[in-house]
């Protein structure tokens, strides 16, 4: 079974939609040509879903080859911050827990998705 190049998830508690794109090509197909900034390994963006007119968060990687733990952590902190911003939760030194929990949850979701793509690339072609 072929892997899907994107995955949509809903963040529990907050109800915000998140789209994970495994590559720049997948991001282009989902959001339009040139969505991922040139020379970026990954990026997080808030986009408006045209079908439902709601804001959603996109986490996009240039390719599975560029994926690593540092990039995962970096992008998931950005994504968690954006999600909390969308639902009106202010992150501060006195209110760190929502960010920490959400970044951890996102990291698991993104890592599971991206590792499936990395493992698929490593399989011998038949």
């Amino acid at each position: 079974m072929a892997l899907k190049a994107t995955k949509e998830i809903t963040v529990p508690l907050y109800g915000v939609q998140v789209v994970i794109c495994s590559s720049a090509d997948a991001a282009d197909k989902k959001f339009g040509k040139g969505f991922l900034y040139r020379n970026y390994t990954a990026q997080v963006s808030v986009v408006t879903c045209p079908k439902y007119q709601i804001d959603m968060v996109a986490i996009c990687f240039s390719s599975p080859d560029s994926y690593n733990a540092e990039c995962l952590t970096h992008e998931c902190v950005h994504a968690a911050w954006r999600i909390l911003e969308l639902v009106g939760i202010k992150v501060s030194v006195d209110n760190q827990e929502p960010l920490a929990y959400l970044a951890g949850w996102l990291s698991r979701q993104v890592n599971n998705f991206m590792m499936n793509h990395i493992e698929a690339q490593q399989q011998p072609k038949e």
Side-chain angles (χ1 to χ4, degrees), residues 27-47:
D28 285 351
K29 287 178 185 162
K30 182 77 176 169
F31 299 110
K33 184 121 178 87
F35 183 77
L36 186 71
Y37 294 128
R38 189 186 321 190
N39 299 324
Y40 275 33
T41 300
Q43 77 184 34
V44 169
S45 304
V46 175
V47 295

Side-chain angles (χ1 to χ4, degrees), residues 7-91:
K7 180 178 183 178
E8 292 189 28
I9 55 176
T10 302
V11 178
L13 186 62
Y14 303 122
V16 174
Q17 289 292 117
V18 175
V19 177
I20 308 164
C21 299
S22 61
S23 67
D25 288 340
D28 285 351
K29 287 178 185 162
K30 182 77 176 169
F31 299 110
K33 184 121 178 87
F35 183 77
L36 186 71
Y37 294 128
R38 189 186 321 190
N39 299 324
Y40 275 33
T41 300
Q43 77 184 34
V44 169
S45 304
V46 175
V47 295
T48 301
C49 173
K51 184 175 180 181
Y52 302 112
Q53 290 301 305
I54 57 168
D55 287 334
M56 55 196 311
V57 174
I59 306 171
C60 302
F61 297 89
S62 60
S63 77
D65 294 331
S66 64
Y67 178 78
N68 59 48
E70 293 84 359
C71 188
L72 168 70
T73 303
H74 180 99
E75 299 308 329
C76 285
V77 169
H78 281 305
W81 199 297
R82 289 297 201 173
I83 291 165
L84 294 172
E85 185 178 66
L86 286 173
V87 298
I89 295 175
K90 302 279 187 223
V91 177

